[in-house]
Amino acid sequence: MNPYQQKRRWKYLLLAFAVVIASGSLLYTNYLVKNIAQSERTRAQVWALSMRQIFLSDDNDFLNYVFAVRDSLTVPALVVDDKGEFKYKKGLDSTKTFIKLEAEENKNIQYDTAYFRSELNYMKEQHDPIRLEVFGSQWLVYYKDSALLTQLKFFPYVQLSVIAIFLLTAYTAFSSSRKSEQNQVWVGLAKETAHQLGTPISSLMAWIELIKDKFNAENDQLIAEMENDVKRLEIVADRFSKIGSRPVLERHVVFDVVKDFMDYFRVRVSDRITFNMSGNTDVEAGLNIPLFDWVLENLLKNAVNAITDKGTISIEISESKKQVFIDVTDTGKGIPRSKFDTVFQPGYTTRKRGWGLGLSLTKRMVENYHNGHIYVKDSEVGKGTTFRIVLKAIKNDQQATA
C-alpha cells in the first residue's frame, strides 16, 4: 500500500469515528428530549386535572392545594371548550394576551383572538390535546414545549457545528503550519543538493576538456554526448538551486524550447518509442527553461514508463487568442477517469519503486512558477493518455512576467 492510500484510509477511519461520535450525541440527546417531553406531558395532565378540580371542588382548603399544583406548570398552555371558545391560558405573552376595547359608555376586556389562534395552532401541531369533562361539556387542554426542551432539541446541532468549525479551523492552521515546515525542509535540502553537486560537475567539465585536448577528440560524438549529459546535470543542479525562490520568466518560442528538450531526450530512451512533434512554431510564452525542461522531462518519463512495448509519444502545440496549449500524448496503458485528479497528488504512483512526486512537482512548476495550468485532457485504459499544459501566450507588444 502506497503512502497516498494509507493517508486516504486514515481519513476514512477518522471520518467514520466522527460520524459515530455525532450519531451517539444525537441519539443520546434524542433520548433526553423524549424523557423530558414525557415528563412535561405528565405535568400537563396533572395541571389539566387541577383545572377540573378547581371548578368542581367546594373545599377551600383543598382548593389551595389544587391552585399550588396548577401554578407549578411551567409550559405554556391553553384551554378551549368543545365549541373552540377560550377558557383559560397559562404562560403566554402577557403583553399580547389581552386587548382593551373602549366604548362610549363602558370598558370591556377581551382576549386577543388572533394571538390565541396563532398559539393554539402551534400547540396543535406539537401535541395531542388532553381531554377533560367539566359541567357536562368537553374541554381540551393544549400545551407546547418549554423553552428548555426546545433548546435541548437544537443543542446537539449547534454543539456539533461549533465543534466542526473549531476542528476545521485547527486542522487548517495545523496543516498550513506543517506544510510550511515541510516546504522549508525541502527547500533547504534542494539548495544543499545543488551546492553539493556544484563541485563534481565542475570537475567533470574540466575532465571532458582535458580529454578533448589530450586525445584530440574535439569532434568525437561520444564526447559530445557526454558533454551534453554533464551540461544537463548542471541544469538539474540549477533547478534545485531555484526551488524556494521566484524564478524569472523570459520570452521564448515554445516550439523551439520543447523541440530542444525532445531532441536531447529521444536519444536516451529505447528505439522502440517514436517521437513526433507538430503544431504552431511561432507562438511565444514566458518560460524559465531549466524548470520548464523539468516539466517536460517528468511528462516524457511518465509517457515512456506507460508504454510497455512499442509506442509513440506526440507533442502538439496550439494557440488560442490568449493561451498556448501543449498536448503530450502517449500510446501507453492509460489512466482511469476516476484517477484524473489523483495522479497529481504527492505519493500517488503505480510503479513499485516510484516516489509519486513527479506529476506533483510538475503541477507545482506549471501553476506556481509559470502561472499556467496542467491536467489530464483525455485518457482511455489500454489506448493512451493526453496531458495538456496551458500557458499565457505573449504577443509582440507584451513582455514575460514572473
Side-chain angles (χ1 to χ4, degrees):
M1 183 182 298
N2 61 46
Y4 172 76
Q5 292 175 325
Q6 290 180 343
K7 184 178 180 181
R8 184 173 59 179
R9 174 171 291 185
W10 274 109
K11 286 182 179 179
Y12 288 153
L13 289 175
L14 290 175
L15 179 61
F17 185 64
V19 170
V20 170
I21 293 177
S23 301
S25 176
L26 292 174
L27 289 174
Y28 182 68
T29 303
N30 187 52
Y31 168 78
L32 294 178
V33 167
K34 286 183 177 179
N35 285 343
I36 296 176
Q38 183 60 42
S39 176
E40 289 188 353
R41 176 78 178 183
T42 302
R43 291 204 301 271
Q45 291 173 337
V46 173
W47 181 82
L49 292 175
S50 69
M51 289 294 299
R52 182 173 181 275
Q53 290 300 321
I54 289 174
F55 291 105
L56 299 180
S57 178
D58 295 329
D59 188 342
N60 291 333
D61 292 336
F62 181 68
L63 283 176
N64 291 333
Y65 170 75
V66 174
F67 281 126
V69 173
R70 183 198 67 179
D71 296 338
S72 66
L73 181 69
T74 58
V75 296
L78 276 174
V79 181
V80 298
D81 61 15
D82 51 2
K83 297 179 181 180
E85 297 293 331
F86 296 109
K87 293 298 182 181
Y88 195 79
K89 52 88 181 176
K90 170 69 176 178
L92 297 178
D93 190 346
S94 60
T95 63
K96 298 180 180 179
T97 302
F98 301 104
I99 59 174
K100 186 178 292 185
L101 301 177
E102 297 187 4
E104 294 181 357
E105 298 179 356
N106 62 351
K107 295 181 179 180
N108 185 26
I109 297 177
Q110 295 184 355
Y111 292 116
D112 184 348
T113 306
Y115 171 71
F116 270 97
R117 288 297 175 190
S118 175
E119 289 295 317
L120 181 61
N121 291 333
Y122 182 73
M123 293 178 184
K124 286 181 178 180
E125 292 177 357
Q126 283 199 326
H127 302 286
D128 294 331
I130 300 171
R131 302 178 183 274
L132 297 176
E133 291 290 335
V134 179
F135 301 130
S137 64
Q138 189 176 69
W139 287 10
L140 302 176
V141 180
Y142 292 94
Y143 71 99
K144 65 179 179 180
D145 295 334
S146 64
L148 176 63
L149 182 58
T150 302
Q151 292 173 4
L152 187 59
K153 286 181 178 180
F154 292 101
F155 172 74
Y157 300 100
V158 175
Q159 180 188 41
L160 292 176
S161 298
V162 172
I163 293 175
I165 292 173
F166 172 77
L167 291 178
L168 181 62
T169 303
Y171 174 80
T172 302
F174 175 75
S175 178
S176 177
S177 175
R178 183 179 61 180
K179 187 175 181 180
S180 177
E181 291 178 358
Q182 289 176 345
N183 285 341
Q184 291 178 0
V185 171
W186 284 111
V187 168
L189 179 62
K191 290 185 177 295
E192 180 62 21
T193 300
H195 177 72
Q196 294 293 334
L197 287 173
T199 301
I201 289 174
S202 299
S203 298
L204 287 173
M205 293 295 291
W207 284 113
I208 290 175
E209 292 299 324
L210 183 60
I211 291 174
K212 287 181 180 179
D213 293 338
K214 186 172 182 179
F215 298 99
N216 193 21
E218 186 70 31
N219 297 320
D220 188 275
Q221 184 63 31
L222 293 177
I223 299 297
E225 290 299 331
M226 185 185 301
E227 188 174 19
N228 286 336
D229 283 334
V230 174
K231 288 180 178 179
R232 178 59 55 179
L233 190 59
E234 191 174 21
I235 291 175
V236 171
D238 185 53
R239 292 173 184 171
F240 283 105
S241 68
K242 285 182 169 61
I243 292 178
S245 58
R246 194 69 180 177
V248 177
L249 302 185
E250 298 178 349
R251 185 170 183 164
H252 293 282
V253 176
V254 177
F255 189 93
D256 293 342
V257 173
V258 176
K259 186 176 185 304
D260 286 344
F261 182 79
M262 178 183 281
D263 290 341
Y264 167 82
F265 186 82
R266 77 167 78 216
V267 297
R268 287 161 176 80
V269 296
S270 173
D271 294 337
R272 295 181 292 104
I273 298 176
T274 303
F275 288 84
N276 296 320
M277 188 169 177
S278 61
N280 192 310
T281 59
D282 299 322
V283 62
E284 295 179 326
L287 301 175
N288 181 282
I289 291 182
L291 293 182
F292 195 73
D293 280 355
W294 199 354
V295 170
L296 296 173
E297 181 179 347
N298 287 333
L299 289 178
L300 293 180
K301 281 184 176 179
N302 276 353
V304 169
N305 292 328
I307 298 173
T308 55
D309 191 12
K310 293 183 179 181
T312 302
I313 298 176
S314 302
I315 299 180
E316 181 179 2
I317 298 173
S318 57
E319 177 191 13
S320 68
K321 293 182 179 179
K322 297 182 179 180
Q323 294 178 318
V324 182
F325 302 114
I326 306 171
D327 293 339
V328 180
T329 303
D330 65 68
T331 57
K333 55 188 177 183
I335 301 172
R337 185 166 294 276
S338 61
K339 302 295 184 182
F340 277 15
D341 294 328
T342 307
V343 294
F344 293 103
Q345 296 182 2
Y348 179 83
T349 181
T350 57
R351 300 171 61 192
K352 294 182 178 180
R353 297 185 179 182
W355 286 87
L357 295 177
L359 288 178
S360 175
L361 288 172
T362 299
K363 184 178 181 67
R364 181 170 182 175
M365 284 184 287
V366 171
E367 297 184 353
N368 293 2
Y369 295 156
H370 288 87
N371 304 316
H373 186 52
I374 183 172
Y375 59 94
V376 180
K377 179 186 176 184
D378 187 35
S379 185
E380 186 175 349
V381 176
K383 292 188 176 181
T385 302
T386 298
F387 283 90
R388 167 165 282 189
I389 301 173
V390 182
L391 301 175
K392 293 181 180 179
I394 296 179
K395 303 302 181 181
N396 292 331
D397 57 345
Q398 293 179 321
Q399 297 294 327
T401 58

